[in-house]
Amino acid sequence: MNELPKIETRDMTSGTAQTCNARDLWGFVESRQDFSDWIKGRIEKYGFVEGEDWVSHKFMENPSAGGRPRTDYHLTIEVAKELAMVENNERGREVRRYFIDCERRAKRVPPLPASALHRADLVVAATRTFNGLLRAAGGLRLGHARAARSACESARRHTGIDLFEELGVTDDELAVAAPPPRSASRALAQPHDDGTTARVATWLGAPEQAGERGFTSEAILLGALAATPNQSEYRSLQTRLGYIMARLGWRRHRPGRGRWVYMRPV
């Protein structure tokens, strides 16, 4: 295959997104793996989440001739760029540059007016994103005003919705706002917390981990707490980690039949 993958707009969990057909990408980068093994292996290895990073479409191929079932995978541009990069060949680099150029051209085109229903969906998605990031920011000991600004800006980048603008919140009002609710900061406020939450949050936010989308509980316990399975308190630490990660806004996900991982808030 010599044609660059076609860019299409698809519905995702948080709204619409630019996507490309994974089969087209696989053909262009000239992978020698079977397509099904290639795409399923990469989804599992890199922890891509269905509905956020990719969607699938099942249909019958050549139904008039008896046909056979087929599944197409549609990847967001961000995921497609990452997969092109890990191919580590000239074709992968070429298609990655192509995706970057598509994104630049899309940003120069004024967005179409959204319907009231679509905008409402975006506001809901922005609110969910904001809440998760605000909890994570609380775990990192950021001040309330700074945490709220950071969460709002990240939600705006992901959904295009500025919640402060929607609510009419000004910087002056934010500066005198009440502290975050106990549910968002109790991990660091409770006396019995010996600093475990802060250590986990600091490790997750370190530059070395910034590029990773998800971690197993074993990786977090080892990296943040130097805890190993042969320690007597390891099982209780695993249970405690579940509560800590929930407070920080991370959620558990099991890609395919792989191991459970905690996924970074988006």
Side-chain angles (χ1 to χ4, degrees):
M1 174 182 173
N2 294 318
E3 293 184 5
L4 288 161
K6 181 181 177 181
I7 303 298
E8 300 176 309
T9 300
R10 293 267 169 178
D11 289 329
M12 310 295 279
T13 302
S14 59
T16 58
Q18 285 187 305
T19 67
C20 81
N21 191 308
R23 197 178 296 273
D24 293 345
L25 176 62
W26 165 77
F28 187 83
V29 299
E30 300 177 345
S31 172
R32 296 184 179 181
Q33 269 189 292
D34 173 75
F35 170 71
S36 181
D37 294 338
W38 180 82
I39 187 60
K40 290 178 181 177
R42 275 154 176 71
I43 287 174
E44 180 175 348
K45 180 176 181 180
Y46 298 104
F48 297 136
V49 180
E50 184 172 8
E52 297 178 11
D53 299 317
W54 60 275
V55 291
S56 62
H57 171 58
K58 296 183 179 181
F59 60 99
M60 293 298 293
E61 191 175 26
N62 298 324
S64 59
R68 60 174 183 173
R70 169 172 156 170
T71 302
D72 274 351
Y73 297 80
H74 300 274
L75 314 172
T76 64
I77 296 299
E78 290 77 11
V79 169
K81 283 193 300 185
E82 186 171 344
L83 293 188
M85 186 166 57
V86 299
E87 285 297 325
N88 197 28
N89 61 20
E90 185 54 38
R91 299 286 276 181
R93 288 186 284 273
E94 181 181 349
V95 74
R96 181 172 177 271
R97 289 192 294 267
Y98 162 71
F99 288 138
I100 292 173
D101 185 57
C102 287
E103 287 180 311
R104 287 173 179 165
R105 284 188 277 111
K107 289 177 181 178
R108 291 197 293 266
V109 178
L112 296 175
S115 67
L117 181 59
H118 179 56
R119 182 167 182 80
D121 289 340
L122 290 178
V123 171
V124 170
T127 302
R128 290 174 177 168
T129 301
F130 175 87
N131 288 338
L133 290 168
L134 186 60
R135 289 193 296 270
L140 293 172
R141 293 182 180 270
L142 295 181
H144 179 57
R146 181 185 172 194
R149 289 191 186 95
S150 299
C152 185
E153 176 58 21
S154 182
R156 184 194 64 76
R157 288 198 304 270
H158 284 284
T159 65
I161 297 294
D162 187 327
L163 289 175
F164 287 177
E165 182 178 336
E166 290 287 321
L167 298 172
V169 176
T170 66
D171 279 348
D172 290 341
E173 291 171 323
L174 188 63
V176 297
R182 180 174 175 80
S183 60
S185 59
R186 64 184 179 182
L188 297 178
Q190 292 178 347
H192 67 263
D193 191 335
D194 57 3
T196 301
T197 300
R199 291 165 65 187
V200 170
T202 300
W203 186 82
L204 292 171
E208 305 91 279
Q209 281 70 250
E212 297 293 334
R213 297 175 58 86
F215 299 95
T216 63
S217 60
E218 292 82 2
I220 298 171
L221 290 173
L222 179 61
L225 307 175
T228 57
N230 60 351
Q231 295 176 331
S232 58
E233 70 274 18
Y234 190 78
R235 185 175 293 275
S236 64
L237 281 175
Q238 280 189 312
T239 302
R240 188 175 179 186
L241 180 66
Y243 292 108
I244 291 174
M245 297 303 284
R247 293 181 192 134
L248 297 180
W250 291 61
R251 60 185 181 82
R252 290 184 78 200
H253 175 69
R254 187 178 185 181
R257 296 185 178 179
R259 304 174 68 183
W260 285 98
V261 294
Y262 289 102
M263 300 304 298
R264 187 180 296 278
V266 296

